[in-house]
Amino acid sequence: MPLGRTRTLKESKFWSEEFLKRHDIRTPATGMAVLPTDAERTPIIRPGEPEHESIVTAINAIEREYARAEDAYHDSMLGCLVKILFLALERSRPDGEPAASTGRGAIFAAFGSLLEENMCATRNARDYADMLGVSYKNLNEICKEFAHLTAKECVDRALILEIERRLATVDLSAKELSAEMGFDEPTNFAKFFKARTGLTPARFRESIR
């Protein structure tokens, strides 16, 4: 895959969290998607044929659409094409293969997977350490190494991203979303969100529409 193309796509304005949320797009490499990583530790995917051809075809289509003059279909077309690209990337990974396959990187990847599955059930970082079979101190050190955040900050970040995604794509009231995300009271849900984003859930929803 030409390096120049990947840099162009990475720097494009549509390659943003707001764009991904608006189109309900989840990034590939499950288990790392909800957590930030150093650029040097970004999961590497080495697709074989025909996966490589599908990925290159999707990138070419994105570049062509991105270069077109904007019209009523432009944003939606880009959203569909990015979804196709991400699906092709996911298909290129062996089933069940973690984004980082050994050692501390594997623990970090497994932590991300557990977060995706359980963030609505528990926001306690110690619960995730127990699920992983590691000490809380060890998990904290791994998160600081890979994400420059504590384990608790990783949990909160993942939950905030998921709340923002649902606010952008799902038509639920604050009370309904609060219950869905595992909060016992809508006021606690609103306080949690505002403390980390500076906006109430309602104001955030208004800001992206």
Side-chain angles (χ1 to χ4, degrees):
M1 198 180 304
L3 181 59
R5 280 183 185 161
T6 57
R7 282 179 177 167
T8 299
L9 292 176
K10 186 175 181 180
E11 294 167 3
S12 296
K13 64 181 181 181
F14 73 85
W15 205 264
S16 66
E17 287 189 2
E18 193 276 331
F19 175 88
L20 300 179
K21 291 168 192 169
R22 187 167 68 251
H23 292 282
D24 195 19
I25 299 172
R26 287 185 177 276
T27 51
T30 300
M32 302 292 277
V34 298
L35 297 176
T37 58
D38 288 339
E40 294 179 356
R41 300 181 188 278
T42 299
I44 297 173
I45 297 173
R46 297 183 175 88
E49 297 293 346
E51 289 82 6
H52 181 270
E53 182 179 350
S54 298
I55 292 168
V56 171
T57 298
I59 290 174
N60 288 338
I62 291 170
E63 286 192 320
R64 286 194 299 270
E65 181 60 36
Y66 186 70
R68 286 175 60 101
E70 294 190 19
D71 58 20
Y73 304 97
H74 184 67
D75 191 70
S76 295
M77 283 290 292
L78 284 174
C80 291
L81 291 171
V82 171
K83 282 184 180 180
I84 291 171
L85 171 62
F86 284 1
L87 286 171
L89 289 169
E90 284 290 356
R91 177 180 276 176
S92 72
R93 295 174 57 237
D95 290 343
E97 178 182 316
S101 58
T102 60
R104 294 164 71 87
I107 294 174
F108 184 72
F111 178 41
S113 294
L114 286 173
L115 272 177
E116 288 188 321
E117 296 168 5
N118 300 284
M119 68 176 74
C120 296
T122 178
R123 300 187 295 279
N124 189 333
R126 294 183 183 277
D127 289 343
Y128 292 96
D130 290 342
M131 292 179 207
L132 290 164
V134 300
S135 69
Y136 177 71
K137 180 181 178 181
N138 192 19
L139 180 59
N140 232 12
E141 290 173 350
I142 289 170
C143 288
K144 288 177 181 177
E145 177 184 351
F146 283 85
H148 303 297
L149 299 172
T150 66
K152 173 58 177 171
E153 287 169 339
C154 283
V155 173
D156 288 351
R157 181 185 187 276
L159 191 60
I160 286 295
L161 287 175
E162 181 61 17
I163 292 170
E164 289 179 340
R165 186 188 72 82
R166 296 193 192 192
L167 285 170
T169 61
V170 181
D171 190 20
L172 292 176
S173 68
K175 183 177 181 180
E176 291 170 326
L177 188 54
S178 169
E180 193 172 90
M181 298 305 299
F183 288 83
D184 53 0
E185 292 290 341
T187 53
N188 293 334
F189 169 71
K191 287 178 181 178
F192 175 86
F193 188 81
K194 186 173 182 180
R196 289 157 182 80
T197 66
L199 297 172
T200 64
R203 287 290 295 166
F204 174 82
R205 182 172 271 166
E206 290 171 7
S207 72
I208 60 173
R209 291 185 175 177

